Amino acid sequence: MSEEIRVPIASDADTIVARQRGREAALRLGFSRTDATFVATAISEIARNITVHAGQGEIIIRGLSEEGRDGLVVIARDEGPGIRDVAAVMRQEYASEAGLGIGLWGARRLMDEIEVASQPGEGTTVTMKKWCGFDEVGRLLDDRRPSDPTPGS
Amino acid sequence: MRVATGELRQACPCGYLIASIQSALSDTEVVELRDSLLVEVARHRSRGVIVDVAALDVIDSFVSRSLSTVARTNRLRGAKTVVVGIRPEVAVAMSHFGLGLDAVDTALDLEAGLELLDR
């Protein structure tokens, strides 16, 4: 997948579109259904940060190929108020069930890499990556789906 | 009753309310569902609520928190809440995320959910 998917985020309905596009992209790139769900869930969290804190922004999804690994990158960009102390947010000092922290914190656990670039007054860019092929549980779950054809049946 | 997000029906004669979510929900719709559940449980004097989430391909922090709120509020009114139908891959994602559905009972499907409420 060399094309880039861009989803403008202006309302919480756009979040549904972004996570669906992210899931589809992940499946096209060969991710397991479980990993595609991780990607969709992480997108849901960072898209919410855009609608709640910045009002609008965009999410960009594209395939990745680096050092012999394939994966997917999601970039969430807004021109909102920004984050004063990114490091503190990432350490989960602000994370509460209702707060800004929970989304970034969750995205970090669901994706393989996450970077947050932000300055007060200059918006926020979250870049997160997930690599194909490390998902043992996902493969087990996918293999066990009754609808999937099983060898010898 | 119909809500934007799915269907709420009183399961007679057992006195339970069953909410079956039909499609992916925006945060606004999640709030609508949460509020309708609370209102309908009070109106029907339900002793139990089943929320079927099998249609949800993402359960994130917001959905999870809203379900926990429903369960905690219902519990204060003497009604039990059971969430049924969490998809396997959604359960794995929730577990990695650390989302645990505080105070919410869960069951595999509607039938298991009804059994749980009858216990």
Side-chain angles (χ1 to χ4, degrees), chain B residues 47-63:
Chain B
R47 290 180 296 114
V49 186
I50 291 181
V51 186
D52 188 340
V53 297
L56 296 185
D57 59 8
V58 167
I59 296 185
D60 64 9
S61 63
F62 191 75
V63 173

Side-chain angles (χ1 to χ4, degrees), chain B residues 5 7 10 16-17 23 38-39 72 76 91 93 100 111-113 115:
Chain B
T5 47
E7 190 185 333
Q10 185 76 3
Y16 303 141
L17 193 69
S23 65
L38 296 174
V39 168
R72 276 196 292 264
L76 290 171
E111 197 184 342
E115 269 171 33

Side-chain angles (χ1 to χ4, degrees), chain B residues 54-107:
Chain B
L56 296 185
D57 59 8
V58 167
I59 296 185
D60 64 9
S61 63
F62 191 75
V63 173
S64 159
R65 179 155 49 94
S66 302
L67 290 171
S68 295
T69 301
V70 168
R72 276 196 292 264
T73 310
N74 284 342
R75 183 191 277 171
L76 290 171
R77 298 187 43 89
K80 272 204 224 169
T81 304
V82 183
V83 170
V84 304
I86 297 178
R87 297 185 190 183
E89 64 272 24
V90 171
V92 177
M94 290 174 73
S95 142
H96 267 248
F97 194 143
L99 297 173
L101 289 186
D102 279 356
V104 184
D105 283 320
T106 52

